[in-house]
């Protein structure tokens, strides 16, 4: 910082002088003190929405593996959803859902395969999430819990199971061709974990999993899981590598998880309880998702923390503020309700325990559980968000304050993030901020989904925010579309987040992931199928900002000289930042107009030496262009070398976002 202080009068001017149809002039001014930019500015927000977790990032291939789907999640669902009875070669038998002597109380249902006559096998098949995608030569780890069950047919004495029951597990294609096979044996009436590995002989995007009993009698089965051996960073119970990689490629500084509305849930019984999501997967308590499907919580808090560590992002968990979503039970349900006061001490303890789980020594109660999961060292949790765009009511405020007081008292090292409703203005927004100021919260979470015009018109939103008060987390924002115009508007707005990187501490686009055919919310940043990933044009904007972030900002102004035809200021946005690690100067130029804007870029003498070598990355296209599975390359970044100098010509293409990264420049002497 001190190096900048000697340049109190220094003015760096970067002129974009339009010499064709339009004329503009952009000035970049170094203020008396260079403005620092939050090191955590650009992150991601993961919510299990649009099948982002089960059927998405979580690599499990079988759907409804623990037979817990319910009609309360979707009217047509039941514990056998996505499973089917299979009887081969004259086999006869049936499937039944049982709850007596379950594998674990958190996982109360299981299936019993009753084999009256085995024929060539009786059992069940699973269709995965729209089929199971397998690749030739790859290995798939099967695990399941099984026990012999008395059916009254085979054993006269139900207590004596001394002959094993045989199981055959297969991957099959649609016409029944076996793509991989393994055998297992079940012995005894107590639950036992059995494992096998299936190797796929052929690739198939829509295989099915089949499990056949080839002996007469009853077998109880639960938590039937099929995992690719190849997961992201080879983590057990891990993540789908292509999806995890596309997130890692965003180089996010943080990951906000696990929601969103998912966190405060649909009614008090549906609050997201992090403790239900750790430990052996068969002992986790899955539950209905506010987005109307089932969350297995196989992707739970341990896996979230591990993923953050694997991609070098700070974990940013959100816990409910002990109130449920104000939209709970839209069909005549509860609306916002608060936990009874008698339950608050335990709820608050859960929040404190989360911090211990993440950061406590392996000898502490909750740190020991983290260590038992394979991570003795801490996860370095710095932030905890309390609440998600909750309605600002006395019920909310009372509970929020109780949680905040406890975290502040026990963990002053953790930054608490408050919440300011679902909109960029209005009653909840105003009251949320007023409350945050009363409590002197360090950071407040703002959410907004608005039109491209709104984003272009609101580029000065944070210029006037009070720097002495709470900092901002733009926890959810998007311009309601996946066309290039939307992404350009977001890019223009993101220059304003950089400019205000001293008061905007964190920002994340929302929502992140969406499985084709299973979306509850559009637009999203990344679409995927079982075998393919399609980053949207918005994704590339997020990525260019994230990989080209800086830690200090050179204030920019955009002006058009009097006289010539002008380009609307609203349609041009710029920012200039420095990355002190590399010494690179990074200039971002957004031209939302449909005309090219030829420009002269000038760095005045005070700016020091300018390295002539620059990388110039451009995103441009028709404002209506979208990246889709059919046309994934409509707008993708293209990088070339650019020779720059103290004064150089750069023609901003029509409808474009350019990043000019000037290598290791010496700035402001
Ligand atoms: O991002 C989708 C949803 O939008 C989030 O769950 C919620 O916080 C907001 O309303």
């Amino acid at each position: 910082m001190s190096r900048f202080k000697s340049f109190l009068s220094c003015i760096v001017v970067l002129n974009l002088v339009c010499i064709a149809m339009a004329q503009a002039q952009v000035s970049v001014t170094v203020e008396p003190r260079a403005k620092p930019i939050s090191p955590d500015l650009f992150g991601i927000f993961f919510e299990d929405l649009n099948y982002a977790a089960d059927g998405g990032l979580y690599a499990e291939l079988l759907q409804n593996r623990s037979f817990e789907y319910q009609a309360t999640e979707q009217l047509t669902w039941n514990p056998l959803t996505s499973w089917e009875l299979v009887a081969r070669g004259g086999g006869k038998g049936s499937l039944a859902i049982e709850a007596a002597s379950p594998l674990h109380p958190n996982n109360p249902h299981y299936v019993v395969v009753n084999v009256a006559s085995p024929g060539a096998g009786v059992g069940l098949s699973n269709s995965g999430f729209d089929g199971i995608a397998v690749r030739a030569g790859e290995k798939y780890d099967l695990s399941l819990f099984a026990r012999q069950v008395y059916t009254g047919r085979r054993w006269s004495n139900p207590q004596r199971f001394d002959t094993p029951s045989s199981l055959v597990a297969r991957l099959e294609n649609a016409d029944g061709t076996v793509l991989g096979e393994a055998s297992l044996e079940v012995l005894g009436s107590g639950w036992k974990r059995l494992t096998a590995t299936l190797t796929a002989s052929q690739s198939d995007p829509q295989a099915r999993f089949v499990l056949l009993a080839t002996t007469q009698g009853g077998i109880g089965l639960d938590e039937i899981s099929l995992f690719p051996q190849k997961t992201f960073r080879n983590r057990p119970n891990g993540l789908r590598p292509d999806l995890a990689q596309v997130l890692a490629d965003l180089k996010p500084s943080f990951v906000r998880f696990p929601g969103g509305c998912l966190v405060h849930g649909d009614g008090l019984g549906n609050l997201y309880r992090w403790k239900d999501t750790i430990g052996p997967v068969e002992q986790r308590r899955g539950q209905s998702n506010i987005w109307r499907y089932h969350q297995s919580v196989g992707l739970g808090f341990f896996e979230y923390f591990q993923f953050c560590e694997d991609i070098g992002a700070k974990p940013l968990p959100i816990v409910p503020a002990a109130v449920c979503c104000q939209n709970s039970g839209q069909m005549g349900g509860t609306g916002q309700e608060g936990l009874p006061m008698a339950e608050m001490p335990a709820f608050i303890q859960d929040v404190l325990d989360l911090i211990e789980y993440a950061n406590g020594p392996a000898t502490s109660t909750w740190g020991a559980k983290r260590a038992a999961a394979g991570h003795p060292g801490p996860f370095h949790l710095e932030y905890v968000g309390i609440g998600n765009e909750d309605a600002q009511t006395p019920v909310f405020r009372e509970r929020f304050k109780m949680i905040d007081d406890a975290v502040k008292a026990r963990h002053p090292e953790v930054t608490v993030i408050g919440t300011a409703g679902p909109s960029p203005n209005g009653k909840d927004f105003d009251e949320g901020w007023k409350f945050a100021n009363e409590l002197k919260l360090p950071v407040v979470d703002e959410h907004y989904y608005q039109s491209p015009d709104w984003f272009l018109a609101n580029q000065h939103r944070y210029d006037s925010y009070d720097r002495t008060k709470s900092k901002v987390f733009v926890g959810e924002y998007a311009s309601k579309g996946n066309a290039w115009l939307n992404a350009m508007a977001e890019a223009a707005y993101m220059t304003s987040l950089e400019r205000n990187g001293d008061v905007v501490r964190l920002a994340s686009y929302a929502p992140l992931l969406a499985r084709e055919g299973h979306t509850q919310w559009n637009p999203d940043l990344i679409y995927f199928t079982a075998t393919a990933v399609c980053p949207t044009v918005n994704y590339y904007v997020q990525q260019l900002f994230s990989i080209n972030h800086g830690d200090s900002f050179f204030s920019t102004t955009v002006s058009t000289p009097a006289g010539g035809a002008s380009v609307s200021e609203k349609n041009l946005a710029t920012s200039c930042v420095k990355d002190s690690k590399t010494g690179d100067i990074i200039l971002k130029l957004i031209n939302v107009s449909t005309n090219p804007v030829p420009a002269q870029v000038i760095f005045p003498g005070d700016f020091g030496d300018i390295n002539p070598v620059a990388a110039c990355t451009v995103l441009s296209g028709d404002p209506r262009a979208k990246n889709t599975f059919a046309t994934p390359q409509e707008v993708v970044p293209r990088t070339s070398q650019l020779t720059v100098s103290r004064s150089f010509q750069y023609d901003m293409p029509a409808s474009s976002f350019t990043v000019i990264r000037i290598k290791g420049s010496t700035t402001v002497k």
Side-chain angles (χ1 to χ4, degrees):
M1 193 71 75
S2 61
R3 61 190 301 198
F4 294 110
K5 284 189 180 157
S6 54
F7 300 100
L8 293 183
S9 61
C10 165
I11 293 179
V12 177
V13 179
L14 163 70
N15 287 316
L16 288 180
V17 182
C18 299
I19 54 175
M21 300 244 319
Q23 290 195 348
Q25 179 169 308
V26 180
S27 300
V28 179
T29 307
V30 176
E31 291 182 339
R33 286 188 305 139
K35 258 206 304 201
I37 299 176
S38 161
D40 300 334
L41 187 55
F42 297 122
I44 58 175
F45 162 46
F46 180 92
E47 175 164 22
D48 185 5
L49 159 66
N50 308 316
Y51 281 56
D54 294 304
L57 187 60
Y58 185 50
E60 173 63 73
L61 292 168
L62 303 189
Q63 185 167 189
N64 190 15
R65 68 182 177 190
S66 49
F67 305 94
E68 299 300 336
Y69 277 23
Q70 301 293 335
T72 47
E73 294 166 330
Q74 285 189 19
L75 280 178
T76 57
W77 279 6
N78 62 63
L80 277 174
T81 293
S82 86
W83 294 98
E84 257 182 38
L85 173 69
V86 178
R88 298 272 164 83
K92 288 196 175 48
S94 60
L95 302 179
I97 293 296
E98 303 285 351
S101 305
L103 178 56
H104 191 273
N106 283 345
N107 184 359
H109 300 101
Y110 59 94
V111 70
V112 173
V113 179
N114 290 312
V115 183
S117 161
V122 175
L124 66 177
S125 71
N126 189 286
S127 47
F129 295 89
D130 307 329
I132 297 171
V134 293
R135 286 222 188 110
E138 293 206 354
K139 293 188 188 319
Y140 297 88
D141 288 335
L142 169 67
S143 68
L144 54 85
F145 286 81
R147 67 186 185 98
Q148 290 180 310
V149 176
Y150 178 64
T151 61
R153 289 197 179 89
R154 187 172 176 193
W155 294 283
S156 52
N157 177 356
Q159 304 310 314
R160 288 188 58 239
F161 294 117
D162 45 18
T163 313
S165 302
S166 300
L167 288 171
V168 177
R170 286 188 190 140
L171 282 167
E172 290 182 356
N173 71 10
D175 65 22
T177 305
V178 177
L179 307 176
E181 188 173 281
S183 301
L184 303 116
E185 287 203 333
V186 186
L187 183 62
S189 60
W191 288 107
K192 287 199 187 72
R193 184 169 188 265
L194 305 177
T195 60
T197 298
L198 305 178
T199 305
S201 57
Q202 291 171 31
S203 295
D204 192 319
Q206 285 196 308
R208 64 174 173 244
F209 170 77
V210 179
L211 188 63
L212 297 172
T214 54
T215 42
Q216 197 188 28
I219 303 176
L221 296 162
D222 203 355
E223 204 68 19
I224 308 176
S225 165
L226 187 69
F227 248 83
Q229 275 190 359
K230 280 192 188 158
T231 58
F232 187 64
R233 303 279 166 92
N234 298 317
R235 299 281 176 211
N237 192 43
L239 307 181
R240 205 178 116 171
D242 55 348
L243 279 178
Q245 190 58 52
V246 82
L247 300 182
D249 290 345
L250 281 169
K251 300 256 184 315
S253 54
F254 66 88
V255 182
R256 175 181 182 236
F257 62 87
C261 287
L262 179 104
V263 167
H264 54 183
D266 190 5
L268 282 177
N270 194 231
L271 298 183
Y272 191 98
R273 306 277 191 157
W274 75 271
K275 286 182 178 173
D276 288 337
T277 76
I278 60 164
V281 288
E282 70 278 6
Q283 297 178 13
R284 299 183 187 182
R285 195 176 67 86
Q287 67 167 343
S288 163
N289 179 323
I290 195 169
W291 301 107
R292 292 275 160 267
Y293 60 95
H294 185 82
Q295 42 183 335
S296 74
V297 298
L299 171 50
F301 263 44
F302 180 82
E303 291 76 21
Y304 281 120
F305 280 124
Q306 183 65 73
F307 179 54
C308 291
E309 184 178 84
D310 283 345
I311 65 172
K314 292 183 181 175
L316 199 164
I318 306 294
V319 296
V323 297
C324 60
C325 180
Q326 55 268 31
N327 302 318
S328 287
Q330 283 177 341
M331 314 295 281
T334 63
Q336 186 193 70
E337 284 187 321
L339 276 184
M341 278 301 146
E343 293 180 32
M344 283 305 290
F347 185 86
I348 291 168
Q349 190 57 50
D350 281 357
V351 178
L352 300 176
D353 291 344
L354 170 61
I355 298 169
E356 183 175 286
Y357 182 75
N359 291 351
T363 49
S364 62
T365 308
W366 289 92
K369 293 188 194 296
R370 182 195 66 235
H375 201 285
F379 280 121
H380 307 291
L381 180 66
E382 290 178 25
Y383 295 108
V384 171
I386 303 175
N388 172 66
E389 60 177 47
D390 301 283
Q392 301 289 314
T393 61
V395 170
F396 162 81
R397 277 194 285 267
E398 185 180 16
R399 285 157 183 77
F400 182 100
K401 185 171 180 325
M402 290 169 78
I403 304 166
D404 180 49
D405 285 349
V407 174
K408 262 191 217 146
R410 283 281 298 283
H411 291 287
E413 76 284 4
V414 169
T415 301
V416 169
I417 301 176
T419 181
S423 311
N425 46 34
K427 183 174 166 291
D428 286 328
F429 180 83
D430 294 341
E431 291 185 6
W433 267 98
K434 189 164 161 277
F435 185 48
N437 289 332
E438 278 164 28
L439 297 188
K440 298 195 177 8
L441 293 181
V443 185
V444 175
D445 185 6
E446 297 187 353
H447 294 176
Y448 33 86
Y449 298 90
Q450 299 288 326
S451 67
D453 269 352
W454 185 94
F455 280 94
L456 292 172
N458 280 274
Q459 291 182 51
H460 296 285
R461 176 181 177 90
Y462 295 112
D463 293 357
S464 55
Y465 266 49
D466 187 338
R467 267 57 186 167
T468 64
K469 298 214 166 123
S470 308
K471 304 290 184 263
V472 179
F473 175 19
V474 189
E476 297 180 23
Y477 70 96
S479 73
K480 291 187 174 169
N482 287 127
W484 177 230
L485 174 64
N486 298 90
M488 278 191 292
E490 287 154 13
Y493 194 75
M494 289 172 83
T495 64
S496 84
L497 300 183
E498 285 188 322
R499 181 171 70 248
N500 289 287
D502 56 335
V503 70
V504 179
R505 189 153 163 182
L506 310 135
S508 43
Y509 181 98
L512 186 62
L513 287 173
R515 183 169 180 124
E516 283 280 290
H518 295 279
T519 54
Q520 294 84 41
W521 186 292
N522 280 297
D524 303 288
L525 200 63
I526 300 160
Y527 290 82
F528 63 92
T529 63
T531 51
V533 179
C534 180
T536 59
V537 296
N538 317 67
Y539 171 93
Y540 291 114
V541 164
Q542 293 294 318
Q543 186 184 46
L544 283 186
F545 271 87
S546 197
I547 64 179
N548 291 294
H549 69 89
D551 46 24
S552 52
F553 180 82
F554 298 77
S555 144
T556 60
T557 50
V558 178
S559 60
T560 54
S566 72
V567 172
S568 158
E569 194 178 308
K570 202 180 92 172
N571 286 333
L572 286 180
T574 66
S575 77
C576 185
V577 301
K578 181 185 175 187
D579 173 22
S580 62
K581 277 199 201 110
T582 56
D584 293 358
I585 296 293
I586 305 155
L587 185 64
K588 300 188 182 80
L589 305 164
I590 291 109
N591 174 20
V592 182
S593 76
T594 48
N595 292 320
V597 176
Q600 189 73 23
V601 179
I602 301 167
F603 291 92
D606 310 79
F607 217 88
D609 297 331
I610 296 293
N611 187 331
V613 183
C616 178
T617 304
V618 180
L619 283 168
S620 68
D622 186 296
R624 292 160 302 182
K626 289 181 177 178
N627 291 345
T628 64
F629 285 101
T631 57
Q633 298 280 308
E634 285 293 283
V635 181
V636 292
R638 302 192 194 283
T639 302
S640 56
Q641 196 170 310
L642 186 71
T643 303
V644 299
S645 61
R646 191 169 300 290
S647 170
F648 67 96
Q649 173 85 23
Y650 178 71
D651 296 346
M652 297 165 68
S655 308
S656 66
F657 169 28
T658 303
V659 180
I660 299 174
R661 189 167 186 124
I662 304 169
K663 302 282 174 206
S665 289
T666 330
T667 50
V668 279
K669 287 185 276 189

